[in-house]
């Protein structure tokens, strides 16, 4: 079987903030054969995540952990889709799957323990057994949920009653971290960059408080106001000045779960110059991590998160654009803070 | 009983690199009474440590953890001395003790579980049971040893065969960390600021290699040369550029035991601007700590360290100045890298 596969590719390595002009939509012919052992998936929802920018750089620490993205080449990404043809027993045509696919119309994959892929439902029309739409499997039940759950509970380790600060709190990961921390009995404050996002955090997602960092001339004082008793856990998505301000307001034995530093990805902002005396004398732990660290616990985390969604304890915020050609603008918009919740692209 | 007590005090808060002129020797009358419950100690060896500078600042994260030092006031410091008079059962005149005393001729203390103090020998003439001179109880068996042992093994957690980098490696703590890491079966490289110190590390203290950081125009490349397979544990005493270079050369799951950042204490050097992408993608843990965190394990650590000294596995390097009036110059010299090993002042 042959299909025409349109895919999004970078035109060159990207070093600063991405723009639509950095990308192009290309075409190739994808060939599936019955004896290939491969599965051909028509993609339905694509995950649009800031970390992909690091993969697009010529040189980045990211390349040590994740394959770099070469100009002109297909881009692997978390996504969900429908099996069109299968040459292996585990999958059959019509199955709906979620896992590592790509920013493209079709993806071929060969099942192996090294490939994160799970079967979600028996047909695209049906929801999964739990009644979740496919998009949830690319957001809250995908890598965003894994990052939020693992980062908060295995790295941040909040204890009931502790104070948790979340930056980029209306984003794909932050919006979940805050809700998870509330479930764990913590006091939770988030920051975001618009009034609408701040309202969402307070009114819909149950944060104890939230603020617009763009309206705070002095982030250290702002955090002192929102955390008069100090911060115990900081879930870091931003970097730069925000990290400095959080460290200045952390309590003894505070923990920084370093998930991302979107303000530092583009090289446009000022990088964090943490006060290391704070880290020493307050015995703070700063620990970097990413979603794949928690892969062995993916099913366990998802079972818990799914229960929370069913019980109404976790609200899922998804921000969906339409069509493969919208991937570049959707991706670029992440770095201008234009998404609310998880950014997805729905394919026709 | 009354004694004239000479003590070293700061003339004002100190914000930059300290000089002798920032200090003065003052006098007071110390009064001990038989019904006071107090012990009067004539100090014999004083510990001179860089962290004291943070206590002398007007404002510092240090003040959250340790009392700040007020101008004109006595300065608490680890020291050893001989009991002159005692109003409690645990101590008698002639006992030799080590613990928190002060930069002064005499210190009065009231025994309590909150005061770190241990009896070392029955008389100043005798060594302790293990045959160690009193000075060792203020260096390797005092807070320097506790910092080195606790920081390396409880924070850095090196595993046999791992690669350990120690900065300020000829200093009071660094010189012990390197030797302890060798005992743990690690590959150990240290850096220091003179050829003599580098020779000491390689020829006498058993480091696998060592280099003079002042002769390295590019610390990142230098560390790449000394650690072609990367660094697993970085025991950090310096801060600034050294931390950036170490992070750039660390392996996945590397650990930074953040003990001190002497280059950042005086505000003279450039502060570290760590590449947080390194920390995230290599899942590095940076953890601040200080000696008192390990107080509950002080005796346990010391028993192990004492065995190592007796077995010749650990060499003790002490750098002794004479007389209370030498305290200011001895302290100021720490920040010019003029000490080799543990800086002590011996009183007449």
């Amino acid at each position: 079987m042959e299909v025409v596969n349109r895919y999004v590719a970078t035109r060159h390595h990207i070093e600063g903030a991405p723009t639509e002009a950095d990308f192009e939509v290309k075409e190739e012919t994808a060939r599936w054969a019955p004896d290939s052992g491969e599965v051909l998936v028509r993609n339905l929802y694509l995950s649009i995540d800031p970390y992909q920018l690091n993969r697009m750089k010529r040189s980045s620490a990211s390349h040590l952990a994740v394959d770099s993205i070469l100009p002109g080449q297909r881009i692997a990404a978390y996504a969900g889709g429908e099996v069109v043809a299968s040459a292996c027993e585990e999958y059959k045509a019509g199955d709906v799957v979620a896992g590592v696919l790509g920013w493209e119309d079709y993806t071929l994959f060969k099942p192996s323990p090294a490939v994160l892929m799970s079967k979600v439902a028996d047909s695209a029309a049906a929801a999964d057994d739990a009644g979740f739409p496919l998009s949830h499997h690319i957001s809250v039940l995908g890598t965003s949920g894994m990052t939020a759950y693992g980062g908060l509970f295995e790295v941040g380790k909040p204890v009931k009653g502790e104070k948790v600060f979340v930056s980029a709190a209306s984003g794909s990961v932050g919006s979940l971290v805050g809700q998870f921390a509330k479930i764990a009995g913590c006091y939770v404050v988030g920051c975001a960059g618009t009034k609408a996002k701040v309202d969402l955090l307070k009114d819909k997602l149950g944060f104890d408080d939230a603020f617009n960092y763009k309206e705070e001339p002095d982030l250290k004082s702002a955090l002192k106001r929102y955390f008069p008793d100090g911060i115990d856990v900081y879930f870091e998505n931003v970097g730069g000045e925000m990290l400095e301000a959080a460290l200045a307001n952390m309590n003894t034995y505070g923990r920084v779960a370093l998930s991302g530093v979107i303000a530092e990805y583009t090289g446009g902002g000022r990088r964090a110059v943490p006060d290391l005396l704070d880290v020493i004398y307050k015995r703070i732990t700063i620990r970097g991590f990413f979603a794949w660290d928690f892969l062995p616990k993916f099913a366990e985390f998802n079972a818990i998160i799914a229960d929370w969604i069913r019980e109404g304890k976790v609200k899922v915020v998804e921000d969906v654009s339409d069509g493969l050609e919208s991937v570049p603008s959707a991706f670029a918009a992440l770095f201008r803070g234009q998404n609310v919740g998880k950014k997805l692209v729905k394919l026709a």
Side-chain angles (χ1 to χ4, degrees), chain A:
Chain A
M1 181 192 274
E2 285 190 2
V3 291
V4 174
N5 179 37
R6 293 180 312 146
Y7 64 99
V8 174
T10 51
R11 290 179 190 272
H12 39 248
H13 288 291
I14 304 179
E15 305 302 337
T19 68
E20 290 184 58
D22 293 323
F23 298 88
E24 60 186 326
V25 175
K26 300 182 76 175
E27 274 189 20
E28 60 168 12
T29 302
R31 289 181 186 82
W32 170 88
D35 60 353
S36 63
E38 290 183 324
V39 179
L40 180 66
V41 177
R42 186 168 65 86
N43 295 322
L44 298 169
Y45 278 98
L46 312 182
S47 178
I48 311 293
D49 301 293
Y51 83 91
Q52 298 274 22
L53 183 63
N54 298 317
R55 299 180 61 206
M56 296 169 185
K57 296 175 183 173
R58 189 176 300 275
S59 160
S60 167
S62 156
H63 301 351
L64 299 167
V66 196
D67 287 342
S68 65
I69 292 171
L70 295 178
Q73 303 293 303
R74 300 170 50 253
I75 295 175
Y78 210 81
E82 181 180 12
V83 173
V84 175
S86 173
C88 69
E89 282 197 1
E90 301 98 300
Y91 300 93
K92 64 175 198 309
D95 284 351
V96 176
V97 296
V100 178
L101 297 161
W103 282 356
E104 56 193 352
D105 286 331
Y106 292 92
T107 304
L108 278 169
F109 76 90
K110 193 172 245 173
S112 104
V115 175
L116 177 60
M117 189 65 62
S118 44
K119 193 170 145 177
V120 166
D122 282 332
S123 79
D128 67 3
D129 295 343
F132 297 127
L134 175 58
S135 63
H136 281 21
H137 289 279
I138 323 302
S139 63
V140 64
L141 302 172
T143 51
S144 301
M146 188 153 67
T147 303
Y149 192 99
L152 180 64
F153 293 115
E154 309 240 325
V155 180
K157 297 180 181 157
V159 171
K160 190 177 167 176
E162 282 194 326
K163 318 291 184 291
V164 176
F165 175 50
V166 188
S167 57
S170 70
S172 57
V173 173
S175 61
L176 298 174
V177 168
Q179 296 184 80
F180 295 171
K182 281 307 301 172
I183 294 170
C186 297
Y187 178 82
V188 181
V189 178
C191 73
T194 67
K195 181 176 185 307
K197 291 179 180 179
V198 168
D199 290 345
L200 172 78
L201 298 177
K202 291 200 283 191
D203 302 339
K204 217 180 138 187
L205 302 186
F207 282 58
D208 292 290
D209 215 333
F211 66 93
N212 182 345
Y213 69 89
K214 290 180 182 167
E215 290 179 354
E216 296 292 346
D218 178 350
L219 290 173
K220 277 185 198 170
S221 320
L223 286 177
K224 180 121 203 108
R225 242 173 28 244
Y226 287 98
F227 291 97
D229 299 324
I231 300 166
D232 298 301
V233 175
Y234 174 37
F235 196 101
E236 168 65 300
N237 292 307
V238 165
E241 249 182 297
M242 196 69 82
L243 177 58
E244 297 169 17
L247 289 173
N249 282 282
M250 287 198 90
N251 290 329
T252 302
Y253 302 118
R255 291 131 272 155
V256 177
L258 193 66
S259 176
V261 288
I262 192 169
E264 301 193 16
Y265 290 172
T266 61
R270 183 166 80 63
R271 275 169 58 183
V273 187
D275 187 338
L276 297 174
L277 292 187
D278 275 330
V279 182
I280 294 172
Y281 286 106
K282 298 198 277 193
R283 284 88 107 203
I284 291 169
T285 301
I286 301 172
R287 195 177 132 197
F289 68 94
F290 57 68
W292 304 117
D293 294 339
F294 311 115
L295 206 48
K297 298 188 172 181
F298 187 51
E300 180 193 325
F301 291 178
N302 268 352
I304 297 168
I305 298 170
D307 279 345
W308 287 342
I309 303 172
R310 274 189 293 264
E311 294 163 13
K313 290 179 180 166
V314 167
K315 308 246 179 337
V316 183
V317 186
E318 293 170 347
D319 182 336
V320 184
S321 298
D322 275 308
L324 188 74
E325 55 290 336
S326 74
V327 167
S329 60
F331 180 64
L334 292 177
F335 299 90
R336 297 190 295 263
Q338 290 171 336
N339 59 306
V340 180
K342 175 70 182 190
K343 188 71 208 172
L344 298 171
V345 166
K346 183 171 194 269
L347 302 188

